[in-house]
Amino acid sequence: MSVEAEELACREGHMGVLTLNSPGTLNALSEHMIEQIQDILDRWANDDRICIVVIQGAGERAFCAGGDIRELYDAILDGQEPEKPVRFFSREYRMDYSIHRFPKPVLGIAHGVVMGGGLGVFAGCRYRLVTPDVTLAMPEI
């Protein structure tokens, strides 16, 4: 597990805690973060020590503001990775599908901003808790 992945995930007893940990971007999903989350979920699905997964956002302002649009915009502008948007969304949707079909209960705890890809993550959780300050939005629509 990479250093960044260790910052995203920890085990507390029989609970796997996954923290979307980029409060400076309102926990926006970068491609790297999506890959790490998928790796963590794949491991925890087969780990008998994990009985439940909790997904939360770091910081006080957001659970997850969605995909890191800045990362995608920069990739399109510089022309170095024209395949990046397709790869990004393919990985994001695979991660969402993994959450929806996860073999163990998944609890999402949302606060603040929950938009776009963040709502995709949250909607996939079997159980969902929201704080009074939550704002849910799907700007793509």
Side-chain angles (χ1 to χ4, degrees):
M1 189 181 311
S2 71
V3 173
E4 294 86 4
E6 289 175 13
E7 292 174 4
L8 288 175
C10 69
R11 186 172 59 86
E12 297 180 13
H14 292 287
M15 181 170 56
V17 179
L18 201 155
T19 303
L20 306 176
N21 193 12
S22 182
T25 66
L26 300 179
N27 301 315
L29 299 166
S30 67
E31 187 173 8
H32 184 65
M33 185 188 291
I34 291 167
E35 291 169 356
Q36 292 174 327
I37 292 168
Q38 186 65 60
D39 289 345
I40 291 162
L41 291 172
D42 290 344
R43 275 198 318 278
W44 284 354
N46 298 308
D47 186 339
D48 292 337
R49 298 173 301 171
I50 302 292
C51 295
I52 185 171
V53 171
V54 175
I55 303 176
Q56 61 187 1
E60 297 179 11
R61 298 175 47 210
F63 171 75
C64 179
D68 189 341
I69 301 305
R70 174 49 111 204
E71 178 183 36
L72 291 174
Y73 179 76
D74 290 345
I76 291 168
L77 273 188
D78 74 15
Q80 298 296 317
E81 291 187 89
E83 74 289 346
K84 185 171 182 87
V86 171
R87 189 180 64 230
F88 176 90
F89 286 110
S90 295
R91 289 178 176 168
E92 180 186 352
Y93 297 151
R94 178 177 183 263
M95 176 194 66
D96 290 342
Y97 183 76
S98 294
I99 294 168
H100 275 274
R101 304 291 298 165
F102 202 72
K104 301 170 185 178
V106 179
L107 167 66
I109 304 174
H111 69 286
V113 176
V114 183
M115 292 179 64
L119 190 52
V121 169
F122 190 59
C125 298
R126 187 180 307 176
Y127 304 102
R128 298 171 211 100
L129 298 175
V130 296
T131 60
D133 69 334
V134 77
T135 299
L136 303 173
M138 190 58 95
E140 299 92 313
I141 296 172

